[in-house]
Amino acid sequence: MKKTEKEKKMKKINALEYGKKIGEKKDFVCIICPNSCRLSAEVGPNGDVKINGYACQRGLEYGTQEFLEPKRTLITTMRIKNGVLPVLPVRSDKELPKNKIFEAIKIINQYEIEAPIKMGDIIIENLLNLGVNVIASRDMEISKK
Amino acid sequence: MNSVTENSEPKLNYYETDVAIIGGGPAGLAAALSAYKENVKVIIIERDFELGGILQQCIHNGFGLRYFKQELTGPEYAQKFINEIKKTNIKVLLNTMVIDLTADKKITALNSEIGLIKIKAKSVVLCMGCRERTRGAINVPGTRPAGIYSAGMVQRLINMEGYIPGKRVVILGSGDIGLIMARRLTLEGIQVVCVAEILPYCAGLVRNRVQCLEDYNIPLLLSHTITAIRGKNRVEEVVISQVDDRWLPIKGTEKVFKCDTVLFSVGLIPENEISLKAGVILDRTNGPAVNEYLETNISGIFASGNVLQVHDLVDWVTIESEKAGKNAAEYAKGIERPSKLMTPIKTIPNKNVGYILPQRIEYVDKEKLVQFSMRPRFPDKNVVVQFISKNNVFYSKKLSHVIPSEMINLTVNLDIAKLSDSIEVNIVPSE
Amino acid sequence: MEKNYDVTIIGGGVTGTAIARWISRYELKTILIEKEEDVCSGTSKANSGIIHAGYDPKEGTLMCEMNIKGNPMFDQAQKELHFDFKRCGSFVIAVEEEELKILKKEKEKGDKRGIPGEIITDIKRIKTMEPNITDRVVGVYYCPTAGIVWPFGLCISLAENAYQNGVHFLFESPVVEIKKKTDYFEIKAGSNTINSKYIINAAGVHADLIAKMVGINDFYITPRTGEYILLDKNAMNLKVIMFPIPTEYSKGILVSPTTHGNTFIGPNSVLQDSKDDTSTTSEGLNEIIDGARKLFPSVPIRSAITNFAGLRAISSRNGDFIIEADKNVFGFVNAAGICSPGLSSCLAIAEKIIEILKNDIGIKLIEKPNWQPYRIPQKRLKDMNEQELALEIKKNPKWGRVICRCETVTEAEIVEAIHRPLGAHSLDMIKKRLRPGMGRCQGAFCTPKLLKILSRELKIPIEKVTKNIKGTELIVGRTKNLQSIIWEGEI
């Protein structure tokens, strides 16, 4: 495969900056498409990241990110006052590091918002200073009760 | 707009409409909007307190990748359609349960404020969705204590009501619902002991296996099933055994897992009780057998979404329902169809095809594009889907992999002249 | 509940509740004590629901006498008490020429007892009566007086009528000790102490343990498990109860319609030690599937909606009923060892108990002047036409809110069941009275709503709503420190 711009960029990433050690390895599956390529990642002697097994650009990107700093979308519910339901489904508008998920959940669990809410409303701005917002997944009207 | 006649004594309400949509989930929403665009009167009858159906409890993302080219959560996907419905004058009856449907498209429904409702429709789209297969239906032996649930019921309790059904959970079934619930329970502080799966492979998406089980170190026991539930008042433990290739438990492999809750995620069954009342005939899909208009054997009664066939992607539900809604509207308007074939062309699911939809082609069109849906019986790689009639493979498509948990949708050009009274569909290894 | 009673009935199954209802006719202060939270919670909850014609029990046994007497009593009882009962008839099916001899023997027994019946070998006629029957059939012994009953409805209607006529009920109170005093018994049940002149022991598989408490050691009860699989409505649409050729000790594995249109297969028959283990087993379930296949090779197991097991009380007196005033302990009457045909016999057993009280115990039975034999059942949507339903919704909007979709049960019916005498206060009690949870979805749709209704009507937090007795709560808490609430308003 010809080396693309992105691949050249990947070469410049230093795994040591992500807390990885030289020689560290990991085998995992790509989730981008149904081919489910078997990826393997390894940290080279210069701290460079070697990814093998990908069949496309997106696979390389996913593999690199998943190895260095796995990210996930946060999905949960939040207490809401006076709504038609007692909890509102919320999500992070961007992915955040997997190792921050439980901390993020703890924060969200302490919140209580009030109806009415519109889908997309930003409920928590810049969660944990990660540049990620927590937004409402739906409208929620005020309960008639 | 709607004629509401109230009798003096009992509360009887009559509505007349062009198209009646039974069910306001993703199928009903899409069918309603699509029918509305054809300038007909539309009523949606929904038993829950709001529209959105099952999507309102599916708070995870992964919806809309195809239809909206975005990755949405279930409620977000529903909200987009609900917002569109709000802009129309489609009549929405909420908290209303349909209790009868006749072949001449008369619907009886109950609502506590309005009373007993009779709706006379020119056409009906069945969009009632599915129910879950239960512990009893798969004959799991043992006791019957508190703490045994279907995954979907727990999903609603946690995501919409904020109730915790237990503290230590074993999940049977590694389909997407089971996997999603494993993650959801974990994020709410409930311990998921393991997920058992009778197949030798994970039934859900790889992405869900990674992000719901591996992320949280939840063990996945493939080729295993629950062979006993124990506990008097509350679940106390389950016995999980390995199974052979005939899904029979292997003696000596029993392992005991202590838990207080068991979640069953063992499949969906289309909910066609109302359809049967009208005389709709069902296929091996447990959904109505339909023609290329998504019309059942009862003329003017259409079906789409999970009630027709269990879908894996809501995007396909929307696309299918848009068709059904449009067809129902055209039926209501009396729009002529091409002439009917003397004998309908039957589609026959053959090699490695679990089922094929539509089950019959009924109308003559010199040539027409028909969308077929099917699922393979078993997983395979590097295959070709073949449509055969008059001993001739008139359509084929290569696929790199097929798996029962993923629906295959193909748009095929049918030249009626080239077809006998049946079309055989195969999924075979490509040479 | 009071302290002193004339009669205490221990056990709230069909035997105990039938006795309660028959006793309620007389001026006898009576209480029924039950260890679970509801009547019909033991053997009466898990059986074949069959009112046997009466040819089967061994000649000269009490079982035989009670079955023959009891079967015809169901028509009158149904008129008075309103429970689901249908005389659908039964076939004993011979699939080999050899077996026709056995059919003849059964018919001889039946004829001797005056039980209407005939042997039919005309296959065409058999198939008209029951189109689903196996092609291997060579003949059947047909008994038109056999019937099917809804055991929950029977038991609950007996209990309600007894209550209506002044019988007291005490639930979740297992009897732990009985002291025989000079002219009464001191009974410790749960946290209560009751003094009673007479005791009627209808405690099912535990009857021997109860009898032991007063020093009666001349019988014991061995539980015999019977497993069942219930099939969905319309899975088979049988018209008639199907028996195989009976074995020496059991009527065999049947396939039978139920009063609600379901079909069940079972039971098997396995003696066991535990008096409380009602688990089903894979061996047992496979056994009944195999048995059912003998009568119906293509029995649709894929339409199964649940499986369950019940324990039958087999007495050490040759497995026969023990219905007698004890010879040594005056005032203690046993109605024990009530296994099949216990359901068919329960009304006759109640009558016999009255005779025993009168003749053996010597109680003067004074009839209550205002004894009400008729029970008013609650209104049900399934029994209404549209006009009636529309009228009800106008009076009470809860008739317009369907809670159980599988069986079409409304909020109004559920609220009524909760507030009736002996009202429902658990999910299983609602299930037994109205059927939510017995349908094909097995409670997946209705349970979240039932939790709210019970919370609201009983004014308890949702976390306290139980499946049956205390300790069977479904919900353990709320997410995100949400407050525990008592539901108010609409469901």
Side-chain angles (χ1 to χ4, degrees), chain B residues 92-284:
Chain B
V92 179
L93 296 173
L94 298 170
N95 293 308
T96 305
M97 178 79 80
V98 170
I99 59 172
D100 197 21
L101 172 67
T102 62
D104 57 350
K105 295 163 281 280
K106 293 206 178 74
I107 296 167
T108 310
L110 293 184
N111 174 290
S112 49
E113 281 167 22
I114 306 171
L116 192 129
I117 301 168
K118 304 286 265 184
I119 301 171
K120 189 158 180 272
K122 296 202 181 115
S123 61
V124 175
V125 188
L126 305 169
C127 298
M128 296 88 75
C130 276
R131 67 175 185 273
E132 286 180 283
R133 188 168 280 114
T134 63
R135 175 261 179 113
I138 60 170
N139 276 319
V140 176
T143 54
R144 293 160 301 287
I148 301 173
Y149 306 106
S150 63
M153 194 190 92
V154 169
Q155 191 180 50
R156 186 176 175 112
L157 283 174
I158 293 182
N159 291 345
M160 294 175 74
E161 315 272 7
Y163 285 104
I164 297 177
K167 296 204 174 83
R168 233 181 110 89
V169 183
V170 167
I171 299 177
L172 181 65
S174 70
D176 289 318
I177 302 173
L179 299 178
I180 294 288
M181 283 315 294
R183 176 176 63 191
R184 189 76 192 99
L185 292 164
T186 306
L187 291 182
E188 290 294 347
I190 301 162
Q191 192 186 1
V192 178
V193 175
C194 65
V195 174
E197 167 57 59
I198 205 166
L199 292 169
Y201 53 87
C202 181
L205 298 171
V206 174
R207 172 182 135 142
N208 285 331
R209 194 192 76 215
V210 170
Q211 296 189 350
C212 300
L213 300 187
E214 288 173 19
D215 273 10
Y216 304 101
N217 294 316
I218 296 171
L220 171 63
L221 306 174
L222 295 175
S223 295
H224 278 72
T225 194
I226 296 178
T227 48
I229 298 177
R230 296 187 186 145
K232 186 146 189 347
N233 294 337
R234 179 89 199 189
V235 173
E236 285 161 35
E237 59 190 34
V238 295
V239 178
I240 297 181
S241 309
Q242 202 178 331
V243 299
D244 61 23
D245 52 14
R246 278 161 46 214
W247 290 11
L248 296 171
I250 301 171
K251 271 206 167 73
T253 65
E254 299 85 8
K255 281 203 268 269
V256 173
F257 290 84
K258 293 232 175 290
C259 58
D260 70 357
T261 306
V262 189
L263 245 61
F264 281 88
S265 173
V266 291
L268 299 176
I269 304 170
E271 189 67 76
N272 276 290
E273 301 321 309
I274 294 293
S275 321
L276 291 171
K277 286 196 162 176
V280 169
I281 295 170
L282 305 183
D283 186 49
R284 66 177 68 185

Side-chain angles (χ1 to χ4, degrees), chain A residues 29 31 34-36 72-73 75-77 84-87 89 91 98 101-102 105 119 135 137-139, chain B residues 49-50 56 59-61 71 73 75-76 79 83 159-161 184 187-188 206-207 211 215-216 401:
Chain A
V29 173
I31 63 163
N35 282 329
S36 302
R72 301 285 184 263
T73 306
I75 307 265
T76 185
T77 52
V84 291
L85 293 170
V87 287
R91 60 171 298 168
K98 183 172 108 170
I101 290 280
F102 277 105
I105 295 261
M119 172 172 74
I135 61 174
S137 250
R138 56 167 284 171
D139 293 357
Chain B
F49 71 96
E50 60 180 2
Q56 298 292 18
I59 66 171
H60 51 280
N61 60 355
E71 200 178 338
T73 64
E76 282 171 343
Q79 191 71 63
N83 291 344
N159 291 345
M160 294 175 74
E161 315 272 7
R184 189 76 192 99
L187 291 182
E188 290 294 347
V206 174
R207 172 182 135 142
Q211 296 189 350
D215 273 10
Y216 304 101
H401 80 293

Side-chain angles (χ1 to χ4, degrees), chain B residues 330-363:
Chain B
E330 290 188 341
Y331 182 95
K333 288 201 284 197
I335 292 191
E336 260 190 68
R337 289 179 188 167
S339 47
K340 234 176 161 174
L341 288 164
M342 286 289 286
T343 334
I345 300 171
K346 282 217 314 260
T347 58
I348 300 174
N350 198 26
K351 298 188 184 134
N352 194 18
V353 178
Y355 72 85
I356 179 125
L357 219 126
Q359 286 84 354
R360 52 185 192 272
I361 307 292
E362 288 186 333
Y363 293 86

Side-chain angles (χ1 to χ4, degrees), chain C residues 308-491:
Chain C
F308 58 93
L311 298 177
R312 288 96 105 201
I314 310 297
S315 85
S316 54
R317 295 229 195 119
N318 291 316
D320 198 6
F321 293 166
I322 301 174
I323 306 172
E324 63 190 23
D326 188 81
K327 295 177 181 58
N328 301 315
V329 183
F330 178 77
F332 193 94
V333 180
N334 283 303
I338 312 300
C339 57
S340 182
L343 192 60
S344 322
S345 309
C346 67
L347 306 179
I349 293 173
E351 252 185 19
K352 187 170 173 73
I353 292 291
I354 300 297
E355 279 166 38
I356 290 172
L357 293 176
K358 190 166 95 178
N359 301 328
D360 299 342
I361 307 284
I363 302 175
K364 191 157 181 235
L365 296 174
I366 304 165
E367 279 191 32
K368 284 181 183 152
N370 50 1
W371 182 65
Q372 178 52 263
Y374 286 88
R375 176 189 85 113
I376 301 173
Q378 63 173 101
K379 281 190 216 147
R380 299 299 312 274
L381 178 145
K382 63 183 180 72
D383 299 327
M384 290 178 186
N385 62 36
E386 284 179 1
Q387 296 280 345
E388 290 170 326
L389 180 56
L391 195 61
E392 291 296 337
I393 297 177
K394 184 141 194 234
K395 290 193 275 183
N396 176 2
K398 292 190 170 78
W399 279 99
R401 172 72 76 148
V402 175
I403 301 293
C404 167
R405 171 215 40 219
C406 298
E407 308 281 322
T408 317
V409 182
T410 63
E411 188 182 345
E413 295 162 273
I414 295 165
V415 170
E416 160 83 23
I418 292 172
H419 293 292
R420 273 173 84 80
L422 299 182
H425 56 82
S426 71
L427 291 168
D428 278 359
M429 289 175 89
I430 293 177
K431 193 173 170 182
K432 287 180 200 164
R433 283 151 179 75
L434 303 172
R435 290 181 58 87
M438 287 188 176
R440 60 190 63 87
C441 89
Q442 292 287 290
F445 178 70
C446 64
T447 301
K449 301 177 183 0
L450 292 175
L451 290 172
K452 289 180 183 162
I453 296 175
L454 283 164
S455 165
R456 184 186 69 196
E457 298 300 318
L458 302 173
K459 298 195 178 23
I460 58 174
I462 289 187
E463 294 88 321
K464 288 253 186 303
V465 175
T466 55
K467 184 174 187 294
N468 43 73
I469 59 172
K470 272 196 196 63
T472 61
E473 293 80 7
L474 262 68
I475 301 296
V476 304
R478 302 207 72 182
T479 59
K480 298 158 212 309
N481 297 317
L482 280 160
Q483 267 200 316
S484 168
I485 56 161
I486 294 174
W487 192 261
E488 279 173 26
E490 281 177 23
I491 300 305

Side-chain angles (χ1 to χ4, degrees), chain A residues 50-118:
Chain A
K50 288 199 190 88
I51 309 280
N52 285 314
Y54 60 91
C56 73
Q57 200 54 41
R58 291 165 68 204
L60 169 63
E61 283 171 27
Y62 170 78
T64 310
Q65 184 73 53
E66 187 66 10
F67 177 60
L68 295 173
E69 189 185 38
K71 288 193 167 181
R72 301 285 184 263
T73 306
L74 175 60
I75 307 265
T76 185
T77 52
M78 182 189 284
R79 284 167 62 179
I80 179 164
K81 239 167 83 175
N82 299 327
V84 291
L85 293 170
V87 287
L88 173 79
V90 298
R91 60 171 298 168
S92 60
D93 60 358
K94 290 204 268 291
E95 289 187 320
L96 50 128
K98 183 172 108 170
N99 57 15
K100 296 273 184 210
I101 290 280
F102 277 105
E103 202 182 325
I105 295 261
K106 267 209 190 89
I107 293 175
I108 292 173
N109 283 350
Q110 282 156 20
Y111 266 71
E112 187 184 54
I113 42 160
E114 196 162 344
I117 288 281
K118 281 254 170 278

Side-chain angles (χ1 to χ4, degrees), chain C residues 77-235:
Chain C
Q78 183 185 35
K79 281 202 190 76
E80 292 171 352
L81 301 170
H82 299 279
F83 50 85
D84 292 293
F85 166 63
K86 192 162 139 199
R87 277 193 200 281
C88 58
S90 64
F91 281 171
V92 181
I93 301 170
V95 295
E96 286 161 29
E97 288 296 323
E98 278 288 302
E99 292 180 338
L100 285 173
K101 294 192 202 129
I102 304 176
L103 287 192
K104 264 188 93 188
K105 275 215 187 88
E106 296 294 291
K107 181 167 187 295
E108 273 164 28
K109 280 160 79 185
D111 288 345
K112 222 169 135 193
R113 297 167 188 181
I115 292 163
E118 57 175 309
I119 294 193
I120 309 174
T121 45
D122 175 355
I123 308 296
K124 248 210 194 117
R125 186 172 158 218
I126 295 173
K127 287 226 158 132
T128 316
M129 294 170 80
E130 181 47 79
N132 284 292
I133 204 158
T134 174
D135 285 332
R136 294 165 57 216
V137 64
V138 299
V140 302
Y141 170 39
Y142 167 56
C143 288
T145 56
I148 49 179
V149 77
W150 183 234
F152 307 105
L154 170 65
C155 208
I156 289 162
S157 64
L158 287 164
E160 279 190 8
N161 189 236
Y163 181 91
Q164 177 187 355
N165 284 300
V167 174
H168 292 186
F169 283 78
L170 179 62
F171 294 103
E172 289 194 70
S173 298
V175 171
V176 292
E177 190 186 53
I178 306 175
K179 282 198 188 125
K180 174 94 176 96
K181 308 279 190 175
T182 325
D183 50 2
Y184 67 94
F185 296 93
E186 185 187 85
I187 305 165
K188 280 210 175 74
S191 53
N192 305 287
T193 306
I194 289 166
N195 300 327
S196 184
K197 286 198 196 131
Y198 316 107
I199 291 179
I200 302 176
N201 177 14
V205 292
H206 298 91
D208 52 349
L209 302 177
I210 297 293
K212 264 206 184 70
M213 289 180 193
V214 295
I216 298 171
N217 288 305
D218 59 4
F219 72 90
Y220 57 90
I221 305 287
T222 308
R224 204 167 71 198
T225 215
E227 301 183 36
Y228 296 86
I229 293 177
L230 188 73
L231 306 181
D232 199 0
K233 289 186 190 188
N234 301 319

